Amino acid sequence: MISQSKSILFLCFLLGPQMVFAQASSAKEGDAVEIKANVDSTSKNTNFSKNPTGFQKEINLEQSNTRYTSLPDVLSREAGVRVRQFGGLGSYSTLSLRGTNPNQSKIYWNGVPINNSLGGEINLADLPFDNLEKIEIYKSGTPAGFSGSAIGGSINLVSKIKIEKPITRVNLMGGSFKTAKATVTHMDQFTSGSYFVQALHETSDQNFAYLNNKGTVLFNTYDDTIDERKNAQFRKTGFTGNLSFVLDKTKINFLNDYIHRKQGLPGPGNRQTSSVGRVFSKLSSALTTETNEFLFTNLTLETKTYGNFAKDDLFDPKSEFSFGTPNAFTKTNQYGFQISPTLYLLEYHQILRASIQTEQEFFTRYEKRANHETERKEPKKRRDTQSFTFQDEIRLFSNRLFLVPQVRFERYTGRFGKDETSVRNQLLDPLSDVFYVRQNFTNPSFGIKLVWIKKENLEFGSLANLSKDFRIPSFLELFGERGSIVGNTKLRPEQSRNGDVGFYLHTKPNSQWKIQSDVSYFQKRIYDMILFLPNSQFTLRPENVDQAFIRGVETNHNLIWNKGIKFNFNYTYQDARNYSESPALNGKYLPLRSKSQGSALLAFFNETSEFGIEYQYIGANFRDRTNEYLGYLPARQFWNLYIQYSAYKNKETGNELILGFEVRNLTDKRVEDLVGYPLPGRSYYVTGSYRF
């Protein structure tokens, strides 16, 4: 938690130079412009303009059209971002920001929240990627216009909507482990609008070689063998259809994304499964509008109406993962509406933003026998959410100083029907048919941005933020899971006090060079973290026993020389400690948090080709809360190489053929990201992309 004295000193440090700016500023006021933090000044990112004081990053995915890459690959290269994978391509992957847990970060699709209330965390492999235009990373919390609170930060996946000219692109890709992917994309314009459609199919066996230690990590290495990964295959099909048009003063977007995945679940390396599988399908739909000059000139109105529908089938006919009724079928439905007015009072140097959101989420699970017939239907779970956010953006000294106070009010109501087969429920709550859990929150935040130098090709400034955030307990923590987890409806939400401060530099010394850099210090004090404790010989019960203190420094540097060099460097140093009530955990490092993590890219390019070298470093860490030696994971380094060649290009029509080849994990490192789940060694991929 940041002390009051530190906060006052911190604000004085930022506000001190304002007298200098006030005296040096010209009497002539410049035109009001949207000054965006941590993005290129030419970016038209409206979401960033709503959050001018936050540390944020925009990842343009234009180059991903011609390389075999994935969402975990792209995110793992960013400072402050840690991706954990249960294997190779297509495996279960989670994301954490600035040392927090995966379920403490929020993920959005075009501003629509997609975190589910069952466990809270998101599997990155279940999210869209090939149809995205860009990824937005918000490290200083949840920006205005987005619902929900986030201890770690937020990620927003932005679909391709705006079309400049008609394009049809066919991508064919393939590589190691019988991996293949094909996408067909078409986008076009019509009177006052445009549309985008894409079809995708991807398949891979992921039968890579790995070191099987037979479960004897230190005591016996003589039985170690090199085995082949089994039952890790996946098949993925996707379809996207987006429509955008303008009606009078209103921009309207219809967004639809469908994903269907069939995959094997291989289990730990020393006891692989043979028949466990999963079939997952998800449909996300949204209707968004933006109306300028709504009712009067200075008012803009945005709305979102959305629905997320997911089905998940688990097959375990030989009870390799579980006992009793091994199979399961789950269904999640999520509906929501959000309205966000913005009032521009530029003559008073202010922009007022508000957001009102309501959402309902329903979760149903069926326990299935080995033949997949229904054994039992669990009580339906439901969560209702209402939130209201108000933000005031104050601009002073000719847009040199930004002050952004914000407050967010949220109300959650969880409902859970009685489990008629539970003896505990029948004895303790004989008259209750439905259990309710109601919780209300008020979360304030404050941000400040100071532009020290502002010229045509140079901007240097400082950013700082303070906030209070929380994570609501998940359905699994509140209501449990039959046979393994006992629910606890008395759980308190996890809460945090967050702060960050740093500097950024955007400059174009001349027409050939472009430089973007930033460095920031961040600090998080997290209270009431939920830990699953043994409740009996066979069950666990969640309790609020953990506390954490996370602090660190992160930096990003991007340099482009238009004559043929591109350089990118990201680095994070963090110290993440557990301050639990449990003596065995107090003072220990949080699991899977490396002190040092970094990545770099050096690429050489010309009009027809590009050659690049990628480097990634992940420092040593522990894979368990008690920091046992058996859970120690040494530091690892990965090298990737890629080359792209434009075999054909017609400048008049825009038609082009791009061929590519890349090698991943060049030094063939055989490591594990999580206990028992190895990552693939050296692999090769070829790509071909034809645009017409």
Side-chain angles (χ1 to χ4, degrees):
M1 181 177 178
I2 300 177
S3 66
Q4 183 178 5
S5 60
K6 288 184 178 179
S7 301
I8 295 174
L9 179 62
F10 163 69
L11 293 176
C12 290
F13 165 73
L14 290 175
L15 290 172
Q18 292 314 304
M19 293 301 296
V20 177
F21 282 126
Q23 296 174 5
S25 62
S26 171
K28 181 180 178 180
E29 295 289 335
D31 294 334
V33 294
E34 295 287 346
I35 300 178
K36 304 171 179 61
N38 202 22
V39 293
D40 183 11
S41 59
T42 61
S43 173
K44 302 300 182 182
N45 195 318
T46 57
N47 289 331
F48 282 8
S49 67
K50 300 173 184 176
N51 191 43
T53 68
F55 287 92
Q56 46 204 10
K57 178 70 178 292
E58 178 181 276
I59 306 175
N60 192 306
L61 298 177
E62 182 178 358
Q63 192 179 20
S64 66
N65 290 326
T66 56
R67 289 189 59 190
Y68 205 133
T69 187
S70 64
L71 189 60
D73 291 336
V74 171
L75 291 173
S76 64
R77 304 178 189 132
E78 297 302 319
V81 179
R82 178 73 168 96
V83 174
R84 306 164 191 170
Q85 292 185 270
F86 286 74
L89 183 68
S91 64
Y92 189 94
S93 306
T94 61
L95 170 144
S96 63
L97 296 172
R98 288 182 168 178
T100 55
N101 291 330
N103 59 10
Q104 292 172 336
S105 297
K106 296 283 287 187
I107 298 183
Y108 301 85
W109 170 72
N110 298 297
V112 172
I114 55 178
N115 293 70
N116 65 73
S117 295
L118 175 61
E121 66 184 34
I122 288 289
N123 179 10
L124 299 181
D126 292 337
L127 300 180
F129 175 72
D130 295 88
N131 55 10
L132 300 180
E133 176 186 352
K134 59 186 176 182
I135 302 172
E136 299 169 349
I137 303 176
Y138 301 91
K139 302 176 184 178
S140 301
T142 305
F146 288 18
S147 63
S149 181
I151 292 176
S154 308
I155 302 287
N156 185 35
L157 310 178
V158 182
S159 298
K160 294 178 181 177
I161 301 175
K162 298 179 181 179
I163 311 301
E164 296 181 355
K165 57 182 178 180
I167 293 175
T168 300
R169 183 185 291 274
V170 178
N171 288 348
L172 299 176
M173 307 178 180
S176 300
F177 322 125
K178 298 181 181 179
T179 300
K181 180 166 70 172
T183 62
V184 179
T185 304
H186 179 70
M187 56 189 79
D188 203 349
Q189 295 175 317
F190 57 90
T191 304
S192 71
S194 61
Y195 65 90
F196 171 92
V197 293
Q198 182 185 81
L200 159 75
H201 184 71
E202 184 176 13
T203 177
S204 180
D205 285 352
Q206 288 297 297
N207 55 343
F208 53 85
Y210 74 100
L211 177 65
N212 188 350
N213 57 35
K214 302 297 195 300
T216 56
V217 182
L218 297 177
F219 305 104
N220 181 12
T221 60
Y222 294 102
D223 63 346
D224 294 356
T225 58
I226 301 297
D227 292 346
E228 183 179 278
R229 199 72 168 130
K230 299 179 181 178
N231 197 35
Q233 74 285 346
F234 75 91
R235 307 289 183 267
K236 177 180 177 181
T237 302
F239 178 79
T240 300
N242 298 332
L243 176 65
S244 176
F245 61 93
V246 178
L247 185 62
D248 195 17
K249 297 179 181 180
T250 302
K251 300 177 183 177
I252 302 175
N253 297 314
F254 291 97
L255 306 168
N256 288 276
D257 182 76
Y258 174 76
I259 292 177
H260 179 82
R261 282 170 48 86
K262 184 177 181 180
Q263 64 182 111
L265 300 179
N270 61 334
R271 50 183 181 90
Q272 297 195 77
T273 65
S274 61
S275 57
V276 182
R278 173 180 181 249
V279 178
F280 173 82
S281 59
K282 181 177 181 179
L283 172 65
S284 297
S285 301
L287 169 63
T288 68
T289 68
E290 180 182 355
T291 306
N292 295 319
E293 299 181 6
F294 180 76
L295 298 181
F296 51 91
T297 306
N298 295 343
L299 181 64
T300 297
L301 185 68
E302 299 178 62
T303 68
K304 296 187 185 81
T305 305
Y306 57 89
N308 294 313
F309 314 94
K311 295 181 180 180
D312 200 340
D313 267 298
L314 174 67
F315 299 88
D316 187 10
K318 298 181 181 179
S319 297
E320 296 173 280
F321 266 0
S322 57
F323 302 98
T325 53
N327 294 4
F329 170 76
T330 61
K331 182 171 64 174
T332 305
N333 294 334
Q334 183 182 29
Y335 312 90
F337 174 76
Q338 182 176 336
I339 182 169
S340 304
T342 302
L343 181 61
Y344 294 88
L345 301 175
L346 299 181
E347 64 273 22
Y348 299 103
H349 312 289
Q350 293 188 75
I351 299 178
L352 304 179
R353 298 185 177 94
S355 180
I356 302 173
Q357 181 249 359
T358 181
E359 180 181 297
Q360 286 187 336
E361 182 175 358
F362 301 88
F363 176 81
T364 305
R365 175 160 50 194
Y366 298 83
E367 294 182 2
K368 302 276 188 174
R369 304 186 187 97
N371 60 4
H372 217 57
E373 292 184 356
T374 299
E375 170 78 11
R376 169 180 169 270
K377 177 183 177 182
E378 294 186 0
K380 182 179 291 187
K381 304 174 181 67
R382 171 180 170 180
R383 173 167 286 168
D384 296 344
T385 305
Q386 296 83 37
S387 69
F388 172 76
T389 305
F390 177 77
Q391 181 195 85
D392 185 7
E393 179 183 325
I394 305 170
R395 301 177 173 188
L396 303 174
F397 303 105
S398 301
N399 291 333
R400 291 294 190 99
L401 175 64
F402 290 70
L403 304 175
V404 185
Q406 177 178 288
V407 63
R408 188 188 306 270
F409 305 96
E410 297 193 88
R411 175 182 175 85
Y412 291 84
T413 303
R415 304 181 186 185
F416 181 72
K418 177 183 284 189
D419 184 353
E420 300 295 341
T421 65
S422 171
V423 176
R424 178 178 179 272
N425 283 349
Q426 298 296 332
L427 293 177
L428 298 182
D429 302 285
L431 302 179
S432 299
D433 293 326
V434 180
F435 298 96
Y436 291 86
V437 179
R438 296 183 175 91
Q439 294 174 309
N440 302 323
F441 305 94
T442 300
N443 290 330
S445 66
F446 180 77
I448 182 171
K449 175 179 178 178
L450 176 61
V451 183
W452 298 70
I453 302 174
K454 177 67 175 179
K455 297 181 179 179
E456 182 179 358
N457 295 318
L458 172 64
E459 183 176 326
F460 173 71
S462 55
L463 309 170
N465 300 273
L466 296 171
S467 67
K468 173 186 174 183
D469 294 286
F470 70 93
R471 181 187 74 85
I472 191 78
S474 66
F475 286 152
L476 186 65
E477 294 162 338
L478 289 173
F479 306 120
E481 185 175 65
R482 187 186 186 197
S484 57
I485 298 176
V486 177
N488 183 0
T489 57
K490 304 299 182 182
L491 284 173
R492 299 182 301 275
E494 298 178 343
Q495 298 193 43
S496 70
R497 306 295 186 271
N498 306 326
D500 57 29
V501 59
F503 301 90
Y504 71 92
L505 171 67
H506 301 155
T507 180
K508 294 181 179 179
N510 54 53
S511 61
Q512 304 298 330
W513 289 90
K514 175 182 174 182
I515 301 173
Q516 292 183 316
S517 297
D518 66 68
V519 58
S520 62
Y521 169 82
F522 62 90
Q523 181 173 301
K524 296 177 182 291
R525 174 74 74 171
I526 308 175
Y527 303 90
D528 294 327
M529 291 180 65
I530 298 173
L531 177 65
F532 287 91
L533 301 176
N535 185 65
S536 68
Q537 184 177 359
F538 302 104
T539 61
L540 300 172
R541 178 181 170 88
E543 299 287 352
N544 294 105
V545 297
D546 270 8
Q547 294 187 29
F549 183 58
I550 306 170
R551 56 185 173 180
V553 177
E554 62 186 24
T555 183
N556 300 269
H557 303 280
N558 297 278
L559 181 149
I560 296 178
W561 181 39
N562 290 340
K563 293 295 184 179
I565 296 179
K566 179 168 54 177
F567 177 73
N568 174 267
F569 174 75
N570 300 297
Y571 177 74
T572 304
Y573 174 85
Q574 67 181 12
D575 184 72
R577 303 273 185 158
N578 192 334
Y579 291 96
S580 169
E581 297 176 2
S582 170
L585 301 178
N586 195 303
K588 302 294 186 180
Y589 290 105
L590 295 178
L592 301 175
R593 272 77 162 184
S594 303
K595 274 197 168 183
S596 294
Q597 181 173 329
S599 66
L601 165 68
L602 177 61
F604 305 91
F605 62 90
N606 55 35
E607 292 185 357
T608 60
S609 61
E610 179 174 330
F611 172 75
I613 305 171
E614 294 176 333
Y615 170 76
Q616 185 176 19
Y617 172 82
I618 301 175
N621 58 81
F622 292 95
R623 291 175 287 192
D624 65 306
R625 291 174 179 262
T626 56
N627 296 175
E628 299 292 337
Y629 183 67
L630 291 177
Y632 178 77
L633 183 63
R636 70 294 278 284
Q637 306 176 60
F638 300 99
W639 293 88
N640 302 331
L641 297 177
Y642 74 89
I643 184 171
Q644 292 182 299
Y645 173 68
S646 179
Y648 166 75
K649 187 171 184 178
N650 188 319
K651 295 183 178 180
E652 295 182 359
T653 62
N655 295 356
E656 64 176 349
L657 173 63
I658 299 177
L659 304 177
F661 174 74
E662 56 187 300
V663 184
R664 295 188 186 176
N665 196 354
L666 183 65
T667 56
D668 199 24
K669 294 284 187 180
R670 295 181 179 177
V671 298
E672 296 179 349
D673 211 12
L674 295 158
V675 177
Y677 290 89
L679 301 178
R682 186 185 300 114
S683 55
Y684 306 89
Y685 297 92
V686 295
T687 61
S689 177
Y690 182 60
R691 168 180 154 179
F692 57 94

